[in-house]
């Protein structure tokens, strides 16, 4: 199952990439939402192979996921792989400079079941695909707007 969205951001690609690479802010944001996050190595510098473990509740069940940074290509792309009970997936963020001050961000989230319970979860998500796609696009648009606002404050 795949979700995708594209948003244009009024900020240079290298600055957008730098904001997307601030992994500590994502960790803090997840913790504020009640997700337990553990970085699996001590390095603060972004490198391919960085990994996190996340414990959270989804649909009433406790879940354990491992997220690994697979691609780190400044200022063009980031790709994260996820592995959880019954599901594998990836999140891909690509940046395309439209002009020196404008960037297009493409976000793709792909989930694949590995077990029967994973297939059942994906099946239930497919039933709500239109609503989930709309929510995904709204979240990406809101995040892109936040990046734009942050760029303006810092400029």
């Amino acid at each position: 199952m795949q979700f995708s969205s594209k948003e244009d951001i009024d900020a240079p690609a290298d600055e957008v990439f730098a904001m997307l690479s601030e992994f500590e802010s994502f960790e803090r944001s997840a913790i504020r939402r009640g997700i337990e996050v553990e970085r699996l190595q001590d390095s603060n510098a972004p490198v391919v192979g960085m990994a996190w473990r996340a414990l959270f509740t989804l649909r009433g069940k406790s879940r354990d996921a491992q997220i690994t940074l697979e691609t780190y290509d400044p200022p063009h792309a980031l790709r994260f792989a996820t592995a959880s009970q019954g599901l594998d997936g990836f999140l891909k963020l690509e940046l395309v400079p439209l002009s020196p001050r404008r960037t297009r961000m493409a976000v793709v989230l792909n989930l694949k079941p590995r077990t029967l319970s994973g297939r059942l979860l994906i099946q239930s998500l497919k039933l709500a695909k239109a609503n989930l796609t709309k929510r995904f696009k709204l979240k990406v648009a809101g995040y892109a707007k936040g990046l734009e606002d942050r760029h303006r404050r810092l400029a």
Side-chain angles (χ1 to χ4, degrees), residues 21 23-24 39 41-48 50 69 72:
S21 299
F23 300 130
E24 287 180 6
R39 193 180 288 204
Q41 68 277 342
D42 293 332
S43 173
N44 283 335
V47 293
V48 170
M50 279 182 92
L69 179 61
Y72 184 78

Side-chain angles (χ1 to χ4, degrees), residues 81-95:
T82 61
S84 180
Q85 303 106 322
L87 285 178
D88 285 338
F90 69 83
L91 175 69
K92 185 176 180 182
L93 300 145
E94 288 186 330
L95 301 176

Side-chain angles (χ1 to χ4, degrees), residues 1-6 79 87-92 94 106-113 122-123 125-126 128-134 136-137:
M1 173 169 231
Q2 182 169 302
F3 299 96
S4 62
S5 183
K6 290 181 183 176
R79 180 182 159 115
L87 285 178
D88 285 338
F90 69 83
L91 175 69
K92 185 176 180 182
E94 288 186 330
V107 181
V108 176
L109 173 65
N110 195 323
L111 301 171
K112 291 186 179 182
I122 293 293
Q123 236 4 72
L125 294 176
K126 283 182 180 178
K129 174 88 166 151
N131 186 30
L132 291 172
T133 298
K134 181 180 173 185
F136 181 80
K137 288 181 185 249

Side-chain angles (χ1 to χ4, degrees), residues 25-126:
S25 68
F26 291 110
E27 291 169 9
R28 287 190 304 271
S29 177
I31 291 168
R32 281 193 302 271
R33 290 176 171 83
I35 299 170
E36 291 181 44
V37 178
E38 174 189 4
R39 193 180 288 204
L40 299 179
Q41 68 277 342
D42 293 332
S43 173
N44 283 335
V47 293
V48 170
M50 279 182 92
W52 297 264
R53 182 173 180 230
L55 298 167
F56 56 97
T57 302
L58 178 68
R59 295 185 170 227
K61 284 183 118 181
S62 180
R63 309 279 179 173
D64 183 3
Q66 183 162 328
I67 301 107
T68 305
L69 179 61
E70 285 189 335
T71 303
Y72 184 78
D73 181 20
H76 305 291
L78 289 165
R79 180 182 159 115
F80 299 89
T82 61
S84 180
Q85 303 106 322
L87 285 178
D88 285 338
F90 69 83
L91 175 69
K92 185 176 180 182
L93 300 145
E94 288 186 330
L95 301 176
V96 177
L98 300 175
S99 73
R101 294 189 183 120
R102 193 156 175 82
T103 304
R104 177 163 293 151
M105 178 176 68
V107 181
V108 176
L109 173 65
N110 195 323
L111 301 171
K112 291 186 179 182
R114 281 188 296 132
T115 63
L116 181 58
S117 62
R119 287 181 190 185
L120 292 172
L121 177 63
I122 293 293
Q123 236 4 72
S124 66
L125 294 176
K126 283 182 180 178

Side-chain angles (χ1 to χ4, degrees), residues 9-22 72 74-76 78 95 97 99-103 105 143 146-155:
I9 302 169
D10 286 328
D14 57 339
E15 290 183 30
V16 173
F17 191 88
M19 289 185 274
L20 291 173
S21 299
E22 292 174 355
Y72 184 78
H76 305 291
L78 289 165
L95 301 176
S99 73
R101 294 189 183 120
R102 193 156 175 82
T103 304
M105 178 176 68
Y143 187 72
L147 291 174
E148 240 177 54
D149 293 345
R150 195 163 143 208
H151 167 70
R152 281 194 196 111
R153 282 193 309 268
L154 298 174

